[in-house]
Amino acid sequence: MIDQSALFFRIDLGNIILRNRVVMAPLTRSRAGKHDVPGPLNAEYYAQRASAGLIISEATNITQQGKGYAFTPGIYTQAQVYGWHSVTQAVHAAGGRIFCQLWHVGRISHPTLQPDGGLPVAPSAVKPIGQAYTESGFAPLVTPRALETSEIPGLIADYVHAAESAKAAGFDGVEVHAANGYLLEQFMRRKTNLRTDNYGGSIENRARLTLEVTRAVAQVWGGDQVGIRLSPVSPANDMEGAADDAQALYEHVANGIDHLKLGYMHIIEGATQGPRDNIAFDYAALKAKFRGLYMANNGYDLQLAVTALASGRADLIAFGRAFITNPDLVERLRSGSPLAPSIDTSLWYGGGAHGYTDYPTTIATAA
């Protein structure tokens, strides 16, 4: 039997204490209420999983322009702030900690989800392959419009407003979503960034917006209460997984956020929800560029998590889909109880309590 104790040691994340190294990864569930406001059902869902050392909220839209999936929550209106406040109160009452993941999807959207039916925005007008999840069902993605250079300051201001709103909602910190083929990663990758201004071309230019956004958010919260999510070789949302400059690009980003003294760097190792070894990448070199906590994600089970912690390769381990059907995942890992499988994927997105808050714990199962 493996010694899994390291997974349950407390750890300091800036000025807050995490009671274990298990992190609930952000999981889009598309169950926000009218006007993308979280409600009591969302509060119950997160409180059920508050035994995690840290919860990272589902990806949360910083503006309507940043929205790419139906029924996903926002953090830019007063009603949304009130809704999220009920969630953070419930998590804190259960002894948990929760960060808000700040999200702009960029080109992975559809006019029916955009203000006044406009085109989604992106660094360049490059059409993605795939479908958008709209309120009427799935629809083909469209060719986005390229952001004007003059729009960039307003975009950064949207992130600042969302960060301020997350603070008002009672979150313990925020995570900048710069992964999985969404807007900030679209700026970083050459496939989706064909710009010739200060935000395109060189690695320094393509990483500029991600670092500017993160710096602005850190000024709201303080760096140690901010994390960033990156996916260096993931092909998610029609990105190139095998970019020849990926190592240099992401080491540049890691070095840049290290200067901001961020609390953690959240890395999707390999292909999102896919193989961890799809493309060779030196994650240890990435970690060496950053003095904050390294959060590892993608396909981790108990054995892999314990090995990563024991070797010093990671400080925190993010578990995603396992938290859907195992609200008491921490206790199951601690006791060695079997995990309930995530078998009915039709319940992942949209709907109500069924497949969301009605999964039993080990105590309920035994009873």
Side-chain angles (χ1 to χ4, degrees), residues 4-11 18-22:
Q4 72 264 40
S5 57
L7 192 58
F8 307 104
F9 291 159
R10 54 168 273 179
I11 190 170
L18 308 184
R19 54 186 172 178
N20 56 63
R21 312 296 181 96
V22 178

Side-chain angles (χ1 to χ4, degrees), residues 9 31 83 86 95 124 141 149 151 166 222 282 288 318-319 326 332 339-340:
F9 291 159
R31 281 172 166 85
S86 69
S124 303
L141 294 167
T149 307
E151 294 179 274
D282 188 349
F319 295 84
N326 299 275
R332 289 180 188 248
L339 303 187

Side-chain angles (χ1 to χ4, degrees), residues 63-336:
T63 58
Q64 187 183 347
Q65 183 197 71
K67 181 177 178 178
Y69 299 81
F71 315 118
T72 51
I75 190 68
Y76 54 91
T77 71
Q78 195 60 56
Q80 292 163 356
V81 169
Y82 287 147
W84 274 117
H85 191 258
S86 69
V87 174
T88 62
Q89 280 188 312
V91 170
H92 292 154
R97 296 289 192 175
I98 182 169
F99 274 35
C100 181
Q101 190 188 62
L102 306 180
W103 191 29
H104 192 306
V105 302
R107 68 180 189 155
I108 308 300
S109 186
H110 190 271
T112 58
L113 299 168
Q114 292 290 304
D116 303 318
L119 288 174
V121 299
S124 303
V126 179
K127 183 180 184 295
I129 298 171
Q131 292 187 310
Y133 178 42
T134 76
E135 293 190 10
S136 302
F138 287 97
L141 294 167
V142 301
T143 301
R145 72 170 181 86
L147 280 161
E148 300 289 340
T149 307
S150 61
E151 294 179 274
I152 301 296
L155 176 65
I156 296 171
D158 289 337
Y159 275 96
V160 169
H161 175 66
E164 292 169 341
S165 297
K167 182 173 282 192
F171 283 96
D172 297 295
V174 294
E175 178 178 284
V176 175
H177 195 348
N180 289 351
Y182 297 120
L183 182 68
L184 295 182
E185 187 168 71
Q186 290 162 26
F187 269 86
M188 288 191 284
R189 302 285 195 99
R190 288 185 302 194
K191 178 179 180 178
T192 45
N193 185 340
L194 310 180
R195 302 174 73 93
T196 57
D197 62 1
N198 288 338
Y199 292 92
S202 67
I203 282 175
E204 291 76 16
N205 282 356
R206 284 181 281 127
R208 188 183 307 278
L209 181 60
T210 295
L211 295 178
E212 287 181 344
V213 164
T214 307
R215 182 181 302 111
V217 168
Q219 288 173 349
V220 174
W221 276 94
D224 60 3
Q225 289 177 271
V226 176
I228 187 170
R229 192 184 209 199
L230 302 168
S231 54
V233 295
S234 178
N237 286 314
D238 195 28
M239 303 300 282
E240 80 277 39
D244 56 14
D245 66 351
Q247 192 75 45
L249 169 63
Y250 283 92
E251 286 187 27
H252 173 78
V253 172
N255 187 60
I257 61 174
D258 180 65
H259 292 317
L260 301 176
K261 299 181 180 179
L262 258 56
Y264 69 82
M265 180 171 60
H266 178 181
I267 303 297
I268 300 172
E269 299 172 347
T272 305
Q273 295 187 14
R276 294 173 42 77
D277 57 353
N278 63 321
I279 294 168
F281 190 87
D282 188 349
Y283 297 103
L286 201 64
K287 185 177 186 297
K289 295 283 186 181
F290 180 68
R291 287 169 288 184
L293 302 181
Y294 180 97
M295 182 187 299
N297 188 334
N298 201 28
Y300 275 81
D301 57 16
L302 180 58
Q303 176 71 68
L304 191 58
V306 170
T307 300
L309 292 172
S311 67
R313 193 170 62 76
D315 305 294
L316 299 164
I317 306 296
F319 295 84
R321 285 166 286 175
F323 262 113
I324 293 177
T325 50
N326 299 275
D328 60 341
L329 178 64
V330 173
E331 182 53 39
R332 289 180 188 248
L333 293 173
R334 193 193 309 269
S335 65

